[in-house]
Amino acid sequence: MKSIMKNCLATTGLSLVLLAFVATLYHARFLFIVSVYQTLLANMIIHLGLVLLQRFESRYFMVEIAVEIGYVLVVLILSGYFFGWYSSTPLWVLIFLGIAVYAIGCFIGMFRMRTDVDYINHQLDLRKNRINDK
C-alpha cells in the first residue's frame, strides 16, 4: 500500500509538471488549485485500476502494456469530461500527457529495478567472497 501511495503521488507530481510545461507553451500564467486535486483524484483512480489489472496476466507483454495504456487513457478522457478539462486542454494534449506520464513512469521503474538488481548482485558477491575466504 505504501508503494502505491508513493507511486500515485509521484505520478501526480510528474503530471502537474508536464501540465505546467504544456500550459507554458500555451502562454498560460497559472494553474487552478482545483486542477491539482482533480489530477490527484485521476491518478488515484488510475493507480487503483492498475493494481487490479496487475492481477490479470497475459502471455504477451505488449497486450498488457496496451491494456494498461488504454485504461489510463479511458480514465483521463472520462476525467476530462467530468472535470471540464476540454475547455482549456484539447483531447490530443490530454492523450499525449497520459502516454508521456506512463512512459516516464515505466522508465523510472526500470531504472529502479536495475538499481535493485545491482544491489542484490553486490550482496551476493560479498556473500560468495565471505564463503570462499573461510
Side-chain angles (χ1 to χ4, degrees):
M1 186 66 163
K2 181 180 173 183
S3 68
I4 294 171
M5 300 246 328
K6 280 194 320 188
N7 290 341
C8 183
L9 292 174
T11 54
T12 300
L14 179 60
S15 300
L16 291 172
V17 168
L18 287 177
L19 188 59
F21 176 74
V22 169
T24 301
L25 292 177
Y26 280 96
H27 304 291
R29 296 188 181 268
F30 57 87
L31 292 173
F32 289 109
I33 293 295
V34 70
S35 64
V36 173
Y37 294 117
Q38 292 169 351
T39 304
L40 175 63
L41 179 60
N43 275 298
M44 289 170 58
I45 293 168
I46 287 170
H47 279 278
L48 290 175
L50 289 176
V51 167
L52 294 175
L53 284 176
Q54 287 176 350
R55 296 182 187 268
F56 304 102
E57 289 189 26
S58 172
R59 291 182 0 184
Y60 305 103
F61 177 69
M62 294 305 288
V63 170
E64 286 186 31
I65 298 297
V67 168
E68 287 180 0
I69 290 174
Y71 171 73
V72 168
L73 293 180
V74 166
V75 171
L76 288 177
I77 290 168
L78 290 175
S79 296
Y81 174 76
F82 287 120
F83 295 139
W85 291 344
Y86 298 125
S87 63
S88 62
T89 306
L91 177 62
W92 70 270
V93 172
L94 191 61
I95 290 171
F96 173 76
L97 285 173
I99 292 172
V101 169
Y102 182 85
I104 293 169
C106 287
F107 177 74
I108 292 170
M110 288 188 317
F111 178 75
R112 172 68 187 208
M113 191 181 316
R114 181 66 189 156
T115 304
D116 291 344
V117 167
D118 288 342
Y119 174 77
I120 291 169
N121 285 335
H122 178 71
Q123 293 298 318
L124 288 172
D125 286 341
L126 290 175
R127 182 174 182 210
K128 182 180 174 183
N129 289 338
R130 275 187 278 156
I131 291 173
N132 288 339
D133 289 341
K134 288 185 181 183

